[in-house]
Amino acid sequence: MARAASLTRPDSDWSAALLLTAGLTLARVVALFRTPLQLYPDEAQYWLWSRALDFGYYSKPPMIAWAIWATTALGGDAEAWVRLAAPLFQAGATLAVFALGRRLYGGAAGFAAAGLYALMPAVQISSAVMATDAPLLFFLGLTLVAYAELQSAEGGGRLAWAAGVGAALGLGFLSKYAAVYAVIGIVLHLIVSREARRAWTPGAALIAIAVFALVLAPNLAWNAAHGFATFHHTAANAAWGQGGVNPAGPLAFLASQFAVFGPIPFGALIAGLGLAVRRRALAKPDLLLLCFTLPPVLIVAGQAFLSRANANWSGASYLPGAVLVAAWLVRWRARRWLAAAVATQAALAAFVLLALAQPRIADALGASNSLKRVRGWSETTRLVIDRAQAVQANGGLSAVAVNDRFLFYTLAYYGRGYFGRPGAPPLVYWLLTASPQNQAEMSAPLTLALGARVLGVIYEGFHHREMLADFAAVPWREIDHIGLDRKHQRRIDLFIGEGYRPQPRDPVTGLPKPSSSRPTPP
């Protein structure tokens, strides 16, 4: 593991990495505070979770809610403060990339790795929205740094780095269960590397496992108390075998990695793998990083064959992959390719920041469709609140019931000054199935006690027949549209529902049972 370059000018190495990270982070934060784009519904969901801190939630571990609680406690609930932790986590991940690359290959490769990672297309998006990938990548970065240091540590230092591996890995699991890829990477490295097995003394292994279990224990306890809801949701999200296999899925997924990882870096990764196979030899640091880079890509490609896969599901490979690609390009003396990769990704990063601050740029380039879910939610909320106030003034209102989680969470966020106010109706979720499918259905369901006179809100016409049929009378109904841009609108159906009495339906699918004969209200 080369350290000569990093030992010659350690201060300048770190100064350059800090300058790069600070400059990008400042630009990202400025863009967050200037953007007119509204919260994505998942971001609104995480914000709502942060109002009631816990050790777990229906679909995700708790780290994202904790992070939002911290930033909004500092600056308030505006969109930029909800998202602020995202660029900060990615700043930490970039420094972890530099530290890992410098530790394994020297300062030049470490700085190149930091540049490739920080400018990676997927990282640009992850820095602009508050999602689980940013904290996951930060803690995976810390895990890899501690793991790399452990390989040559001795005595008390070995035990300290082992504890660091356990702590960082536990925090990674509290961010997103995709941290399991790090466990797979460690196990794979132990299998293929004799040196890795020697580094793990029984004492070091015991300390790492104990610290990991201690960090993760509160989330496991929460899941046990809630029927392991998060684990069930994660398994259901994979949807293996549902609807048959998808032979073209792996190729489509691998093609998407050129977009999220970067075309030149992902091409270099494939080329490096080809060379390693042909030569049947790998340097020890290369082997370590490959054990962490390949499993997410290959496993998610398999998932794409069995069902479906999003491009970012292999996100655990981004950080070790960036270090490995940078090391290979430096070793191959492929300076032009490295410069082209950095320049290409820097141009894309600049475009993302400009489009974030000025979405009209994206509109002008025909990218409006990619922004439609971060527009129009405050206007949608204003429409719903206006109707709720009118209905309440003319006969009373027992609840505002929605049939879509996007609507529920964005109404909760943008209607935070109305819902929960004394005298305001509660915001609740109409249930299609008996078993909860998300946190809103579990925590705020429409009940018989709240169903006397409801303002129903239907998103894009989804399940409108089933929802209307659950009320004895529907004396009023209207259809509205919220303009998002020149081409896109959001349809919102509003109705007054009286006498909530849900029809018998299949508890899993929500389909009407044969015995149900109640007519659907007009």
Side-chain angles (χ1 to χ4, degrees):
M1 298 183 182
R3 302 190 69 178
S6 64
L7 290 174
T8 56
R9 297 180 302 152
D11 293 337
S12 61
D13 288 346
W14 273 106
S15 295
L18 287 169
L19 185 62
L20 168 69
T21 304
L24 273 172
T25 302
L26 178 61
R28 289 165 177 167
V29 171
V30 169
L32 284 186
F33 278 89
R34 289 182 60 87
T35 183
L37 297 177
Q38 299 171 10
L39 290 190
Y40 186 78
D42 282 346
E43 295 177 290
Q45 172 182 235
Y46 304 144
W47 170 84
L48 187 59
W49 292 357
S50 74
R51 303 305 90 185
L53 292 182
D54 210 335
F55 287 111
Y57 299 92
Y58 179 85
S59 61
K60 295 290 188 296
M63 182 62 69
I64 192 164
W66 297 352
I68 293 173
W69 175 86
T71 56
T72 54
L74 288 174
D77 293 319
E79 290 93 337
W81 288 98
V82 173
R83 292 169 168 153
L84 182 59
L88 300 182
F89 275 127
Q90 287 294 2
T94 300
L95 293 177
V97 166
F98 171 76
L100 180 63
R102 182 174 179 270
R103 174 66 182 83
L104 296 178
Y105 300 104
F111 186 73
L116 289 178
Y117 176 83
L119 297 171
M120 191 178 292
V123 172
Q124 308 319 307
I125 304 301
S126 178
S127 300
V129 297
M130 192 56 193
T132 53
D133 285 344
L136 169 70
L137 289 168
F138 171 60
F139 290 116
L140 285 185
L142 295 184
T143 302
L144 278 166
V145 170
Y147 185 80
E149 292 287 352
L150 176 70
Q151 302 305 302
S152 59
E154 296 179 357
R158 174 174 292 174
L159 298 181
W161 286 115
V165 170
L169 187 57
L171 292 169
F173 270 88
L174 292 182
S175 303
K176 191 175 184 179
Y177 293 145
V180 71
Y181 288 123
V183 177
I184 295 172
I186 291 172
V187 172
L188 184 58
H189 192 228
L190 290 173
I191 292 172
V192 301
S193 171
R194 182 180 303 171
E195 289 78 7
R197 294 192 293 273
R198 289 175 179 170
W200 283 97
T201 63
L206 182 61
I207 285 180
I209 293 171
V211 173
F212 170 75
L214 183 64
V215 173
L216 193 57
N219 180 247
L220 292 176
W222 182 92
N223 269 283
H226 293 81
F228 292 95
T230 316
F231 295 114
H232 289 310
H233 171 83
T234 302
N237 202 38
W240 287 352
Q242 295 184 15
V245 298
N246 179 17
L251 288 178
F253 167 74
L254 291 175
S256 73
Q257 297 309 290
F258 284 94
V260 296
F261 197 87
I264 295 177
F266 196 67
L269 181 63
I270 294 174
L273 287 172
L275 286 174
V277 170
R278 189 179 69 180
R279 296 173 179 173
R280 298 182 181 181
L282 276 171
K284 292 176 183 179
D286 298 2
L287 180 62
L288 185 155
L289 292 174
L290 273 177
C291 288
F292 289 88
T293 302
L294 286 182
V297 176
L298 296 179
I299 291 172
V300 179
Q303 159 76 18
F305 176 78
L306 294 173
S307 175
R308 64 181 183 87
N310 293 337
N312 70 318
W313 286 4
S314 61
S317 69
Y318 298 162
L319 194 147
V323 178
L324 186 58
V325 167
W328 281 346
L329 291 174
V330 170
R331 185 183 304 161
W332 299 338
R333 298 182 180 179
R335 296 178 180 177
R336 292 184 179 180
W337 283 107
L338 180 58
V342 171
T344 301
Q345 301 198 166
L348 182 58
F351 170 75
V352 171
L353 290 173
L354 287 173
L356 185 63
Q358 297 290 335
R360 290 174 295 180
I361 296 174
D363 294 338
L365 295 175
S368 298
N369 189 57
S370 63
L371 300 178
K372 66 183 180 181
R373 287 185 175 175
V374 287
R375 284 173 160 164
W377 295 114
S378 62
E379 295 82 356
T380 302
T381 303
R382 185 69 263 164
L383 170 68
V384 172
I385 290 176
D386 286 346
R387 298 297 186 274
Q389 291 174 327
V391 173
Q392 189 170 27
N394 292 275
L397 190 60
S398 59
V400 174
V402 303
N403 74 337
D404 180 85
R405 73 179 186 91
F406 278 12
L407 265 180
F408 182 88
Y409 290 116
T410 51
L411 288 178
Y413 176 77
Y414 287 104
R416 61 190 182 275
Y418 173 73
F419 295 109
R421 181 192 303 172
L427 178 65
V428 297
Y429 202 107
W430 167 79
L431 301 179
L432 176 65
T433 61
S435 57
Q437 304 298 309
N438 55 59
Q439 182 84 23
E441 292 189 10
M442 186 169 67
S443 60
L446 174 60
T447 63
L448 295 177
L450 293 172
R453 193 166 189 259
V454 169
L455 176 65
V457 189
I458 300 172
Y459 178 72
E460 297 289 0
F462 297 154
H463 301 298
H464 69 280
R465 291 184 180 275
E466 293 89 344
M467 188 174 185
L468 292 169
D470 277 353
F471 294 90
V474 180
W476 171 83
R477 182 185 178 191
E478 74 175 27
I479 299 176
D480 292 280
H481 293 86
I482 303 296
L484 307 179
D485 52 58
R486 293 180 180 180
K487 296 182 178 180
H488 301 94
Q489 291 184 323
R490 178 176 298 127
R491 172 177 164 172
I492 300 294
D493 293 28
L494 298 156
F495 68 91
I496 296 174
E498 297 176 343
Y500 174 62
R501 294 295 184 270
Q503 288 194 79
R505 285 192 294 268
D506 184 278
V508 177
T509 66
L511 296 174
K513 289 186 175 181
S515 59
S516 175
S517 60
R518 265 174 68 184
T520 300

